[in-house]
Amino acid sequence: MKGNLFRRFFLLVLFFALSIQYAQAETVQIKAIAKVSYESSGLFSSKPPKGTEDKAISMAKDSAWKKYVSGFSDEKRNSYDIVKNSILSRLDDFIIGYRVLDAVINKDSKTLTVQIRVEIDDSAVQSKIYKTTAKGSEAEILFTWVFVTRAQDSVKKYQDRITTMSKSENGNSATEKTSIDDSSVAMSDQSSSTRKKSTGGSVVSKRDKVTWVKLSSKEINSEMTRALVNAGYEAIEYGDVQSEEECGGRSKTVEQIQDEFVAETDLSSKTTKGIKKTSKKCDIKYTAIGTLDIMKQNIDPVTGLIDVYVSVTAKVYDTSKRFAKTIGSVGPVQFHGLGPEEPIARNNALSKAAKNAAKSIINQLRAR
């Protein structure tokens, strides 16, 4: 009993420690090194003069920033280039802090090498990109979306079907020999047989049959709203669009669309066309359709916590014209979350997936 209580207490402490890490997930930590040359501060001194270390740290921070930017997606990099000069002129506003890990003075070569770890506020960078690159007219651009969050309810696995075939062939041969001498005739028979066998076959594999159950999509709805509003768009959930009589009074509701997503692997072309048509009737410029698929839970071998993966997939359409066209997509890409209980791990994974999906969509719109 005490052992179980101790284990649960340990898992809770570990989870809260990880939760703090997740809360800081919008920051990025990067290591960087810089080397500077210096002149001796005095005739009998080999120490670097005052300000040398500050110069090295400044160079290391610049190097860390370049590493950070190199990790941007193409869409985010295109958006960043628009605000690059503005950010670099106030770089310290986006660097939360740094720590000197090592400083080495080489008296022979008169150089100072500094290694630091820099913590960058990725949320502030993203917000700067959104606000600065938002065009004045974008405040009137409408964006709607319909997402379904579904979880694996059951997975039916099939064994491989193996078919084996064989073929046998038999053959006989006979030889008759005759021997004649001066006084008698002798005859003998010799026979031989051969057997040939060939085998073959096939293996037929059948993919797993997965059934889904619908869950709340509040995480993706909240993240989409937040990201779009911060980027200067008018965010309208599809349910509000569809409920307008002049837009889509007779089209499928969000609940009906989500039910179809759960029953089938994907939406029918008729349903997808109906969503696009409804958006166009209400002057919605951009429409996103996608899923967040919650996979079966596992136990993390390192922490012992429950580990849940979420796979997110989405497409973004320009529905402002007669024929809607695809202008962006997300995934499929997976995110995972940990927690002492399955609901907590699931919510952590959903939060990550929703944030990254919304961020990816905005960056792709900015790059157009």
Side-chain angles (χ1 to χ4, degrees):
M1 182 70 177
K2 290 183 178 180
N4 290 334
L5 288 174
F6 177 78
R7 184 176 182 276
R8 289 180 63 86
F9 175 75
F10 172 76
L11 290 176
L12 285 172
V13 171
L14 181 60
F15 169 69
F16 286 124
L18 290 170
S19 297
I20 295 174
Q21 179 181 352
Y22 293 150
Q24 298 173 341
E26 297 301 317
T27 67
V28 178
Q29 294 189 0
I30 297 178
K31 291 181 181 180
I33 298 176
K35 179 188 289 187
V36 295
S37 301
Y38 65 88
E39 296 293 334
S40 299
S41 56
L43 183 62
F44 301 103
S45 175
S46 58
K47 294 182 179 180
K50 185 178 180 180
T52 303
E53 184 173 347
D54 292 339
K55 181 180 178 181
I57 290 174
S58 178
M59 292 174 60
K61 287 163 69 174
D62 290 340
S63 177
W65 184 263
K66 290 178 181 178
K67 286 185 180 180
Y68 165 67
V69 172
S70 68
F72 287 178
S73 64
D74 291 341
E75 297 85 3
K76 187 173 181 178
R77 183 58 183 265
N78 290 336
S79 300
Y80 168 75
D81 287 341
I82 300 175
V83 299
K84 178 179 178 180
N85 293 334
S86 176
I87 290 179
L88 292 180
S89 64
R90 300 187 299 109
L91 189 58
D92 285 340
D93 291 346
F94 302 94
I95 294 179
I96 296 175
Y98 68 89
R99 179 182 177 185
V100 178
L101 302 177
D102 196 13
V104 178
I105 299 174
N106 189 319
K107 297 180 180 179
D108 296 331
S109 61
K110 293 184 178 180
T111 58
L112 171 64
T113 303
V114 172
Q115 182 185 38
I116 65 173
R117 180 168 58 231
V118 179
E119 187 173 7
I120 298 172
D121 190 345
D122 186 58
S123 295
V125 175
Q126 193 72 35
S127 178
K128 177 68 175 178
I129 291 174
Y130 286 169
K131 292 178 180 178
T132 306
T133 58
K135 304 177 181 66
S137 61
E138 282 184 341
E140 300 176 357
I141 290 182
L142 303 181
F143 193 116
T144 191
W145 65 93
V146 53
F147 275 84
V148 60
T149 302
R150 56 187 185 180
Q152 288 185 353
D153 187 37
S154 64
V155 179
K156 185 176 182 180
K157 295 183 176 293
Y158 295 90
Q159 291 184 337
D160 292 342
R161 186 177 67 192
I162 302 174
T163 302
T164 303
M165 300 177 64
S166 63
K167 180 181 179 182
S168 298
E169 295 181 359
N170 294 318
N172 295 303
S173 63
T175 303
E176 181 181 283
K177 292 185 178 181
T178 304
S179 177
I180 303 175
D181 57 23
D182 294 338
S183 59
S184 63
V185 177
M187 300 182 65
S188 64
D189 291 330
Q190 292 183 349
S191 64
S192 63
S193 64
T194 60
R195 175 174 293 179
K196 180 180 179 182
K197 183 178 181 180
S198 59
T199 61
S202 62
V203 177
V204 178
S205 297
K206 190 175 181 180
R207 66 180 181 181
D208 299 342
K209 183 178 180 180
V210 181
T211 57
W212 301 90
V213 60
K214 181 174 65 175
L215 298 180
S216 171
S217 296
K218 62 181 180 180
E219 288 85 3
I220 186 66
N221 289 339
S222 297
E223 289 301 330
M224 286 294 293
T225 300
R226 183 189 64 81
L228 290 167
V229 170
N230 288 341
Y233 293 89
E234 289 287 341
I236 305 176
E237 293 188 24
Y238 183 75
D240 296 331
V241 177
Q242 188 276 333
S243 62
E244 289 292 327
E245 188 65 31
E246 64 271 22
C247 297
R250 296 184 179 181
S251 61
K252 285 188 175 182
T253 64
V254 172
E255 290 74 18
Q256 290 172 327
I257 294 170
Q258 291 176 337
D259 288 340
E260 182 177 332
F261 250 135
V262 170
E264 305 293 338
T265 303
D266 205 348
L267 290 181
S268 65
S269 58
K270 182 179 180 180
T271 300
T272 303
K273 184 177 180 180
I275 296 172
K276 298 174 185 176
K277 187 176 181 180
T278 298
S279 295
K280 184 180 183 302
K281 283 184 178 180
C282 252
D283 299 322
I284 304 294
K285 183 171 179 60
Y286 298 126
T287 303
I289 304 174
T291 60
L292 284 85
D293 294 337
I294 303 171
M295 318 309 286
K296 283 294 184 181
Q297 68 184 48
N298 298 298
I299 300 298
D300 182 66
V302 177
T303 64
L305 296 171
I306 294 176
D307 192 5
V308 175
Y309 276 83
V310 172
S311 177
V312 58
T313 306
K315 281 189 176 182
V316 184
Y317 303 93
D318 183 342
T319 50
S320 61
K321 298 180 180 180
R322 180 179 179 182
F323 295 104
K325 64 178 181 179
T326 304
I327 60 170
S329 63
V330 178
V333 60
Q334 291 189 344
F335 301 90
H336 78 107
L338 297 173
E341 305 292 342
E342 191 274 340
I344 298 175
R346 181 180 70 234
N347 288 338
N348 286 334
L350 282 172
S351 179
K352 286 184 182 180
K355 286 180 180 179
N356 281 275
K359 186 183 296 185
S360 177
I361 288 172
I362 296 299
N363 286 334
Q364 290 181 63
L365 292 177
R366 286 282 176 258
R368 297 187 73 243

